[in-house]
Amino acid sequence: MIESITEAERDELFEKLTDPVWRLHNLYRIISKRGQEIPFVPTAEQASLIHAIYVLKQKRHAILKARQMGFSTLIELIILDATYFGENLQASIIDRSQLDASEKLKSKCKLAFDKLGPLGERLVEDSSKVMKFSNGSSINAGKNARGGTNQLLHISEWGPIAHEDPMRSEEIKTGALPTAENGIVIVETTFKGGKGGHLYDLLKGAMETPEKHRTAKDFRFWFFPWYLDKGYTLKGDPAAVPGVIRDYLDKQEKELGVKFTEGQKLWYAKTSAEQGIFMFREYPTTAEEAFRAPVDGAIYGDIISTLRAKGRIIPFEWDRSLPVFSSWDFGWDDS
């Protein structure tokens, strides 16, 4: 407790409290994947985003990732930190549903706020849709964010939104993004829907824009594959990893310059068996995998994914100035 420390220690603490990087590394508590309340300690990947925002002053970020890597937790803490320690700031959290957005507000922002102790600010409004502080700042949570000016905007799971609800995806593009014209915008999502749509265009632009051509309106692309999460490993017999999975991971090791442990290989094999054709979408090893993952109802999606894993679908170059014709024989009355 602050009351029990010396005056010198208190002065040192208050000096540290002026630094958002220090606060995000030391001040907050979260609920872990195992349901335990623990101090928030950023992973190396999370710390790199903190550095980009607060040290490099980069404001627009597009994060493509595997599931459950803790980035929504970090982003909500960034939002809480900025609004709690700032004045008259507005932040918004957009998610697939009101329930999802409200859950982020409650289980991440509100929980971390409740554990802060007597640092000064208090809540003057607290509901499933908004947290308002006595300093005039607020955090809103919902499906859209048209209106007002956001100094911080978190768009979560734009990939599924763009695929399942193109009209709302358009509302995010034309309604939400302009509210944060000069603010920090973080798009954090898994991918869904193939190479097209608002999100794909945004990610493609972020990936392809040369650094020397970037402006304050350009997004920076981040990709965080499954193997960066140290929790994605299993104990067990390495012999349980099927040959096709081992061949696939061996190929990825050579191309990416990484080394998977036997525990990671076993985890990937078991998770791939659970996820089936959606493994590339939910737990991609490369960004390109996420983009080419089959969508729900894809014809022969499982077969195509298996062929890709075996390396039997090979990229090739062609003359893009000429038309390309493709012929298929799906059979007749033989299903």
Side-chain angles (χ1 to χ4, degrees):
M1 296 294 290
I2 294 178
E3 291 82 357
S4 63
I5 64 178
T6 67
E7 184 175 347
E9 291 172 331
R10 184 176 305 186
D11 290 342
E12 181 182 359
L13 174 59
F14 283 146
E15 182 177 353
K16 289 178 178 177
L17 285 174
T18 63
D19 179 8
V21 175
W22 183 89
R23 296 195 302 258
L24 288 165
H25 279 78
N26 295 276
L27 199 58
Y28 298 105
R29 299 187 70 82
I30 62 171
I31 299 298
S32 71
K33 290 182 181 180
R34 297 182 179 181
Q36 300 171 320
E37 182 188 314
I38 60 172
F40 175 71
V41 179
T43 63
E45 294 74 35
Q46 291 170 330
S48 64
L49 182 61
I50 294 172
H51 180 82
I53 292 172
Y54 292 103
V55 179
L56 302 180
K57 307 299 183 183
Q58 298 167 350
K59 289 189 172 183
R60 291 197 162 196
H61 305 274
I63 301 171
L64 179 64
K65 62 179 185 58
R67 288 178 57 82
Q68 299 294 316
M69 295 193 69
F71 277 94
S72 62
T73 296
L74 168 63
I75 297 164
E76 265 48 279
L77 290 181
I78 289 173
I79 284 176
L80 172 67
D81 182 82
T83 52
Y84 183 85
F85 285 96
E87 292 184 352
N88 302 312
L89 302 181
Q90 177 177 300
S92 291
I93 301 166
I94 297 175
D95 213 326
R96 296 176 72 174
S97 69
Q98 180 63 58
L99 182 62
D100 291 334
S102 295
E103 179 60 24
K104 283 183 170 61
L105 185 69
K106 176 184 176 182
S107 66
K108 304 181 188 303
C109 296
K110 181 62 163 55
L111 182 140
F113 168 82
D114 288 340
K115 302 299 178 181
L116 275 177
L119 290 181
E121 300 303 327
R122 66 184 189 281
L123 281 175
V124 296
E125 185 176 344
D126 178 19
S127 71
S128 62
K129 296 182 178 182
V130 65
M131 288 173 61
K132 288 187 177 181
F133 301 103
S134 53
N135 61 12
S137 295
S138 64
I139 307 172
N140 303 291
K143 296 172 64 176
N144 297 294
R146 181 182 287 270
T149 300
N150 283 297
Q151 283 74 44
L152 298 101
L153 176 63
H154 175 201
I155 305 172
S156 183
E157 293 300 345
W158 197 352
I161 293 170
H163 176 67
E164 298 162 5
D165 193 346
M167 291 294 288
R168 188 153 74 88
S169 177
E170 183 175 318
E171 175 66 17
I172 291 172
K173 178 179 179 179
T174 63
L177 285 181
T179 69
E181 178 75 15
N182 298 308
I184 294 171
V185 182
I186 307 175
V187 177
E188 161 265 336
T189 186
T190 51
F191 194 79
K192 188 175 183 180
K195 295 183 177 182
H198 301 125
L199 176 69
Y200 177 74
D201 291 343
L202 184 147
L203 294 175
K204 188 170 184 290
M207 294 171 69
E208 295 179 354
T209 301
E211 187 62 34
K212 65 180 180 180
H213 293 161
R214 290 189 190 278
T215 68
K217 288 183 69 67
D218 289 301
F219 280 84
R220 281 173 164 76
F221 178 74
W222 300 76
F223 174 66
F224 296 105
W226 64 271
Y227 59 83
L228 292 180
D229 191 318
K230 304 306 180 186
Y232 289 158
T233 185
L234 280 177
K235 293 181 179 180
D237 186 357
V241 179
V244 63
I245 296 294
R246 191 170 289 279
D247 290 344
Y248 161 78
L249 293 174
D250 288 346
K251 180 173 180 287
Q252 294 300 324
E253 284 183 333
K254 293 177 182 178
E255 293 184 356
L256 299 174
V258 300
K259 184 66 177 177
F260 301 123
T261 66
E262 289 300 321
Q264 286 178 306
K265 293 177 181 180
L266 184 59
W267 177 91
Y268 190 91
K270 295 297 184 181
T271 308
S272 182
E274 291 176 350
Q275 295 295 319
I277 65 173
F278 303 119
M279 187 64 177
F280 284 172
R281 185 181 77 192
E282 304 298 330
Y283 299 97
T285 306
T286 66
E288 181 58 30
E289 277 187 359
F291 296 144
R292 73 187 188 205
V295 299
D296 298 355
I299 299 173
Y300 303 132
D302 54 343
I303 297 173
I304 296 298
S305 292
T306 300
L307 292 175
R308 281 201 176 106
K310 291 181 177 180
R312 292 172 61 186
I313 297 180
I314 303 170
F316 64 94
E317 294 298 324
W318 70 95
D319 188 342
R320 295 177 182 269
S321 67
L322 299 174
V324 175
F325 297 92
S326 177
S327 299
W328 301 76
D329 179 8
F330 287 134
W332 177 258
D333 198 26
D334 58 1
S335 60

